[in-house]
Amino acid sequence: MPVQAAQWTEFLSCPICYNEFDENVHKPISLGCSHTVCKTCLNKLHRKACPFDQTVINTDIDVLPVNFALLQLVGAQVPDQQTVNLSNLGENKHYEVAKKCVEELALYLKPLNGGKGVASLNQSALSRPMQRKLVTLVNCQLVEKEGRVRAMRAARSLGERTVTELILQHQNPQQLSANLWAAVRARGCQFLGPAMQEEALKLVLLALEDGSALSRKVLVLFVVQRLEPRFPQASKTSIGHVVQLLYRASCFKVTKRDEDSSLMQLKEEFRSYEALRREHDAQIVHIAMEAGLRISPEQWSSLLYGDLAHKSHMQSIIDKVSRVLYIIFYFDLNICYLSLGLLYV
């Protein structure tokens, strides 16, 4: 039965016995799956598998190296070196260089002011997302191939986040906002401001949440008529652009009719405000990323909601859209390689 993993901020203690790692009894041993458990608990396992995700431990536990990066963070005595037997001398050399790099990067997780085994990183120079990515890297094990692959992914993710935050620190907020809305308008869409956009989306939902199918013209007119008392600036053009944004996000099921306007029906999975709003926000984030804009969760929250209370919501959307674009990019890249290969057959 898998054990529930601890919170990521509790990376300085064993997630099974909850004792803080040390250099004697509770030595931190990172597994190929990137979970770290003290050596005492590992030796008590009934089967050689990670207690969290059941990944089989292929290397003998006594051969797996102690995670010096974590030891140094708990203030324990860190030995000068430890013997690790890899397949050849070259691998040993690269292992030592990589291990040293991770240990040096781990020092950025200080100061540690929390309780036993828990890192309080509030005064760290790193942002919360950077801290989390660095903790992931520190828990990677470099002896086994799976661990090295995970470490490469974690290092790349950390590097990408570093570049993004560097760009964010040097961006002009006004210019960023102007570039974003210009990119949105270039795609025939529009954002009307946090308050007006929210009301427009709720009215679209009101018109279509019961499964009704309306033409775009009727839907736009319905929204404009109900918006005008509160927002006199509402127009058919601007609301049409909001509907176009939802259309780009594939929120509608469209039924074509001969010699008449197509009917738009809201897909069942978007017939709640939370679901519709999430897809709407994701489409704007997608447009921004396509335009090469880098915007922090805090900035997104301010731009789309007029407050900072939606940072977590926006972070989850950014992560999801980034994954989708990453998959699309590599799919296109593979098609390109395949096409080039066929040219030379």
Side-chain angles (χ1 to χ4, degrees):
M1 185 79 176
V3 179
Q4 186 174 0
Q7 294 292 321
W8 72 271
T9 51
E10 298 171 357
F11 63 92
L12 297 180
S13 61
C14 174
I16 296 178
C17 66
Y18 305 110
N19 286 300
E20 187 176 87
F21 294 127
D22 59 50
E23 70 273 31
N24 298 315
V25 180
H26 304 290
K27 296 177 181 179
I29 306 293
S30 293
L31 306 175
C33 58
S34 297
H35 288 114
T36 302
V37 181
C38 80
K39 193 165 187 176
T40 301
C41 289
L42 277 180
N43 286 322
K44 292 178 181 178
L45 294 177
H46 296 297
R47 55 189 294 260
K48 281 186 68 177
C50 173
F52 302 103
D53 58 21
Q54 302 303 301
T55 300
V56 176
I57 303 171
N58 296 312
T59 306
D60 189 75
I61 292 171
D62 290 327
V63 175
L64 290 174
V66 175
N67 190 322
F68 283 1
L70 291 177
L71 275 187
Q72 67 182 356
L73 292 177
V74 296
Q77 278 294 117
V78 180
D80 292 333
Q81 59 181 11
Q82 61 180 329
T83 303
V84 175
N85 295 316
L86 297 175
S87 58
N88 59 60
L89 190 62
E91 279 196 7
N92 270 317
K93 181 181 176 182
H94 294 313
Y95 168 81
E96 290 297 334
V97 172
K99 173 175 165 291
K100 186 69 176 173
C101 287
V102 173
E103 289 170 7
E104 289 176 357
L105 285 171
L107 294 174
Y108 285 98
L109 292 171
K110 288 186 174 182
L112 304 171
N113 307 323
K116 189 175 182 182
V118 181
S120 177
L121 302 163
N122 295 329
Q123 297 177 22
S124 172
L126 303 180
S127 67
R128 200 74 168 173
M130 286 279 284
Q131 292 167 13
R132 189 162 191 164
K133 291 178 187 298
L134 183 49
V135 167
T136 301
L137 177 60
V138 167
N139 279 285
C140 288
Q141 185 246 90
L142 304 176
V143 172
E144 297 175 326
K145 183 179 179 180
E146 183 187 356
R148 291 196 291 270
V149 170
R150 287 177 179 272
M152 286 293 291
R153 288 175 184 160
R156 183 186 63 204
S157 179
L158 182 62
E160 288 173 351
R161 182 68 197 186
T162 303
V163 172
T164 297
E165 294 201 2
L166 190 62
I167 293 170
L168 291 174
Q169 285 181 3
H170 292 84
Q171 279 185 141
N172 180 303
Q174 287 75 30
Q175 187 61 48
L176 177 67
S177 176
N179 290 341
L180 171 63
W181 304 134
V184 171
R185 286 193 298 272
R187 287 157 178 81
C189 306
Q190 194 169 348
F191 186 80
L192 308 174
M196 189 171 172
Q197 195 83 353
E198 180 178 338
E199 286 302 313
L201 292 176
K202 286 180 177 177
L203 287 170
V204 168
L205 189 63
L206 179 65
L208 301 176
E209 65 182 345
D210 62 351
S212 299
L214 303 176
S215 68
R216 184 188 291 250
K217 184 178 179 180
V218 172
L219 176 61
V220 168
L221 192 61
F222 174 86
V223 175
V224 170
Q225 287 176 345
R226 282 157 180 77
L227 264 185
E228 278 182 331
R230 281 193 60 197
F231 301 97
Q233 69 272 35
S235 67
K236 294 178 184 177
T237 301
S238 62
I239 299 305
H241 290 162
V242 173
V243 172
Q244 178 63 19
L245 185 63
L246 295 176
Y247 178 80
R248 277 183 60 92
S250 300
C251 294
F252 298 117
K253 179 182 177 182
V254 179
T255 305
K256 295 187 180 297
R257 297 187 296 175
D258 294 334
E259 301 179 2
D260 211 342
S261 301
S262 299
L263 294 178
M264 303 175 73
Q265 186 179 28
L266 204 57
K267 290 180 180 177
E268 196 169 341
E269 61 266 34
F270 301 123
R271 291 178 191 173
S272 70
Y273 178 72
E274 291 73 21
L276 186 66
R277 184 62 199 244
R278 187 175 183 84
E279 206 63 24
H280 162 277
D281 293 353
Q283 183 59 213
I284 296 180
V285 171
H286 190 280
I287 291 171
M289 289 185 175
E290 280 185 337
L293 300 175
R294 294 292 178 268
I295 304 175
S296 70
E298 293 85 355
Q299 289 171 317
W300 273 121
S301 182
S302 179
L303 287 166
L304 299 188
Y305 291 90
D307 58 41
L308 296 177
H310 295 80
K311 288 190 298 182
S312 297
H313 165 75
M314 293 311 303
Q315 181 65 64
S316 67
I317 289 174
I318 292 168
D319 291 342
K320 180 183 176 182
V321 174
S322 297
R323 285 194 297 271
V324 171
L325 290 177
Y326 180 81
I327 291 168
I328 292 171
F329 171 76
Y330 274 94
F331 177 78
D332 290 344
L333 194 63
N334 286 332
I335 293 294
C336 181
Y337 283 149
L338 181 62
S339 301
L340 287 171
L342 290 173
L343 286 175
Y344 292 97
V345 172

